[in-house]
Amino acid sequence: CIKNSGRTKRERIFIMDGYSLGYANIALVKYWGKKSKDPVLPYNPNISLRLDNLLSKTKIEKSLSNEDEFYINDEKQGPEEVNKMIKFISKFTPVDREKICIKSYNTVPTAAGLSSSSSGTMALVLACNEYFKLNKSTQEMVEIAKEGSGSSCRSFYKLAAWLEDGSVEELSCELDFSMMVLVVNEDRKKISSRVAMEQCVQTSTTFASWVEKAKKDFVLMKEALKEADFEKIGEITESNALAMHETTTTSSPSFTFLTEESHRAMDIVKQLRSQGYRCYFTMDAGPNVKVLYLKEDQDKLYEEISKLWNKKIILCME
């Protein structure tokens, strides 16, 4: 069962069987590049959609050993990963705490471009809030989460905007969005999002133009959401994703997250759209292609995509 933990609807913490739940989000207008690391600020404002079926769950317990421990999907993590987690949570947890054991589970592949860092960081912050009885508000946890993973600050809201000044704004739209993933590869990426992002910021010849386009896309997307114009939302989403990925091919050394299968998945979406289906694609820092559509179209769209895509498909929304 899921309980409220005694907070208001706006500041709700969801817990299932003792685990805190954190959710993945996929940006419709991308975040790609830190303008500042302390505090964490994006180069451009960005907008995301939370995916309630793609989640991480985390529980913190007292360690039975004399050391801090960290498990992901029951696999014990090495000293480097443990130190990374402890360094992060030490920023907002008691200094004189006891040794702890962090147990996390991901329902999606880790570091495969499916926003596992967003869901994992959100779940960790919520778990710390519960275990250490910090009684942080949602806004306070949003600020904490972005220090662990910038995009995780958006996962606290269904539809969210992360602004250039670092603040996070909850958005609304009367459309009932949904999304599915055409899974190209579930393996861990050869280059992490963090490293790739920094390389693009420092060396991509199209990074400056990307930032300007993303700022304009942000304004257009907010208008489209307000107007509930799905076609406009989809067109901006596709264009923005392609512009972000162009910064990887124009960096030095040049690289790309996308594969031939990624492009085949995008072509399937284009093909179905030409046949009258309302669907658009987007990709984060990985090869997997996400399909944006309206919930009312899910059954028929899934049926048609299944005929053309012979690999795994993940439905991301309730």
Side-chain angles (χ1 to χ4, degrees):
C1 63
I2 299 176
K3 67 176 184 177
N4 185 326
S5 293
R7 298 197 179 256
T8 65
K9 183 176 181 181
R10 193 174 177 81
E11 298 183 345
R12 183 171 295 172
I13 295 176
F14 290 108
I15 299 176
M16 179 180 288
D17 299 327
Y19 286 88
S20 295
L21 308 183
Y23 299 93
N25 71 75
I26 296 298
L28 307 181
V29 174
K30 304 297 184 187
Y31 151 58
W32 191 242
K34 289 185 179 72
K35 183 168 57 177
S36 167
K37 294 182 180 180
D38 187 19
V40 177
L41 300 175
Y43 265 98
N44 61 275
N46 45 91
I47 295 174
S48 71
L49 177 68
R50 189 174 68 195
L51 310 180
D52 291 340
N53 280 352
L54 300 189
L55 57 86
S56 298
K57 61 178 187 177
T58 297
K59 176 192 290 185
I60 298 177
E61 301 172 331
K62 180 179 179 180
S63 176
L64 298 180
S65 67
N66 290 321
E67 61 180 11
D68 291 313
E69 298 175 295
F70 178 36
Y71 291 82
I72 298 180
N73 295 340
D74 293 323
E75 182 178 336
K76 188 172 183 178
Q77 302 300 294
E80 183 177 350
E81 286 301 312
V82 173
N83 291 337
K84 180 180 176 182
M85 290 298 101
I86 297 305
K87 181 180 179 181
F88 169 56
I89 71 169
S90 294
K91 296 178 180 180
F92 61 96
T93 56
V95 176
D96 58 347
R97 63 170 179 80
E98 60 190 7
K99 298 297 183 181
I100 59 174
C101 178
I102 303 170
K103 295 180 179 179
S104 292
Y105 296 89
N106 287 330
T107 62
V108 291
T110 302
L114 290 171
S115 193
S116 61
S117 64
S118 295
S119 60
T121 301
M122 178 184 176
L124 178 61
V125 171
L126 294 173
C128 285
N129 195 54
E130 288 295 310
Y131 182 78
F132 294 108
K133 296 179 172 56
L134 302 177
N135 200 32
K136 300 288 188 182
S137 68
T138 297
Q139 189 54 48
E140 288 173 319
M141 288 188 286
V142 164
E143 293 301 314
I144 291 168
K146 76 175 67 164
E147 297 297 323
S149 167
S151 60
S152 68
C153 67
R154 301 182 311 221
S155 288
F156 288 81
Y157 304 109
K158 189 72 175 180
L159 196 60
W162 183 19
L163 307 180
E164 287 178 85
D165 64 4
S167 62
V168 179
E169 175 185 348
E170 185 175 11
L171 303 178
S172 62
C173 180
E174 65 183 46
L175 296 175
D176 191 4
F177 295 113
S178 200
M179 191 173 278
M180 67 178 73
V181 181
L182 305 190
V183 179
V184 172
N185 193 322
E186 297 184 87
D187 295 338
R188 182 179 287 269
K189 297 177 291 192
K190 294 181 179 179
I191 179 171
S192 71
S193 298
R194 190 180 301 255
V195 171
M197 190 184 297
E198 290 179 357
Q199 181 176 316
C200 290
V201 170
Q202 295 169 9
T203 69
S204 172
T205 57
T206 58
F207 187 78
S209 60
W210 147 253
V211 171
E212 291 308 307
K213 172 178 170 51
K215 289 180 179 180
K216 293 176 182 177
D217 286 347
F218 177 81
V219 175
L220 294 173
M221 182 63 81
K222 286 195 74 174
E223 292 176 353
L225 290 169
K226 185 176 180 179
E227 296 167 0
D229 186 336
F230 183 68
E231 285 67 31
K232 187 175 179 181
I233 291 167
E235 289 167 2
I236 298 167
T237 296
E238 282 195 2
S239 174
N240 188 266
L242 292 172
M244 188 209 87
H245 280 273
E246 185 182 3
T247 66
T248 70
T249 61
T250 58
S251 70
S252 182
S254 177
F255 70 98
T256 182
F257 289 111
L258 305 179
T259 67
E260 288 185 10
E261 284 292 274
S262 303
H263 288 283
R264 185 171 77 86
M266 287 184 266
D267 286 341
I268 287 173
V269 176
K270 293 177 184 177
Q271 176 185 332
L272 289 174
R273 192 163 66 241
S274 71
Q275 296 172 4
Y277 291 92
R278 298 179 294 176
C279 55
Y280 297 85
F281 62 76
T282 186
M283 304 78 59
D284 276 359
N288 302 300
V289 175
K290 293 83 177 176
V291 185
L292 178 69
Y293 55 94
L294 296 176
K295 186 66 178 289
E296 64 196 70
D297 298 329
Q298 178 166 289
D299 291 345
K300 187 60 178 176
L301 185 62
Y302 181 82
E303 179 183 347
E304 292 304 311
I305 285 183
S306 297
K307 295 175 184 177
L308 302 169
W309 184 254
N310 57 2
K311 291 189 172 186
K312 185 176 181 179
I313 300 173
I314 301 173
L315 296 178
C316 303
M317 315 286 276
E318 296 292 348

